[in-house]
Amino acid sequence: MARRLNASLISILLIISSLYFPSHCLVLEGLSIGRVTIFGIVRCSLDGDPDAPPISNGTVILTCGGLTDDLYETVTNPGGYFLIFLTFLQTLLFTPSVCDIRLSLPTGNCTISSPNGTLSGGLTLVSVAVTNSTSIATYAVGTITGTVI
């Protein structure tokens, strides 16, 4: 009985430790990233005009290639800004090269329309902060435009 219990405990420890191995998480500049923050502003413009009015109350969706569900969803504030904080598990599914931000149109205060009904933007790494407990990668969303995804 004790032998089966020990084998079970060892198996559980191996599974848990494999979750923390760097190959199973986002690695940037040799650092294992435990958290991801993404921020940006959405404006009512198909070409990224910085003087266009912001889109308030717009639903911003983070999608990553290969996932059947959206990774994260949030709403813009009255100034068009949004902020996303990914959990550790969401960070495991996050791959910046195949992820983008999109916003479905039309929205309440924006009457433009794009060919595919969405505005989208890519992600740019802004910084990596190292704390005592984890490393945090911060991304900014570039110009959000009406390009086809």
Side-chain angles (χ1 to χ4, degrees):
M1 179 75 159
R3 191 164 274 203
R4 268 191 271 155
L5 181 60
N6 286 341
S8 296
L9 287 175
I10 291 171
S11 297
I12 290 170
L13 289 173
L14 286 173
I15 291 169
I16 290 172
S17 67
S18 72
L19 292 175
Y20 295 100
F21 191 75
S23 67
H24 295 289
C25 63
L26 179 62
V27 177
L28 297 172
E29 300 173 12
L31 293 172
S32 297
I33 303 299
R35 298 278 180 167
V36 171
T37 302
I38 302 168
F39 68 92
I41 184 170
V42 182
R43 297 194 176 274
C44 187
S45 169
L46 287 177
D47 61 2
D49 178 4
D51 296 323
I55 296 176
S56 64
N57 247 4
T59 301
V60 175
I61 301 166
L62 174 64
T63 58
C64 293
L67 294 179
T68 56
D69 294 325
D70 298 329
L71 192 56
Y72 197 93
E73 187 175 302
T74 191
V75 177
T76 59
N77 72 8
Y81 291 96
F82 65 90
L83 187 58
I84 295 172
F85 295 103
L86 298 183
T87 65
F88 177 76
L89 291 176
Q90 290 168 321
T91 299
L92 292 175
L93 300 171
F94 178 75
T95 305
S97 61
V98 295
C99 293
D100 66 2
I101 295 289
R102 64 181 166 82
L103 179 115
S104 296
L105 293 173
T107 63
N109 66 332
C110 183
T111 57
I112 63 171
S113 62
S114 72
N116 65 346
T118 63
L119 296 177
S120 64
L123 303 170
T124 303
L125 180 64
V126 174
S127 67
V128 175
V130 179
T131 67
N132 288 340
S133 59
T134 190
S135 297
I136 304 166
T138 300
Y139 287 84
V141 177
T143 302
I144 297 179
T145 65
T147 57
V148 177
I149 300 177

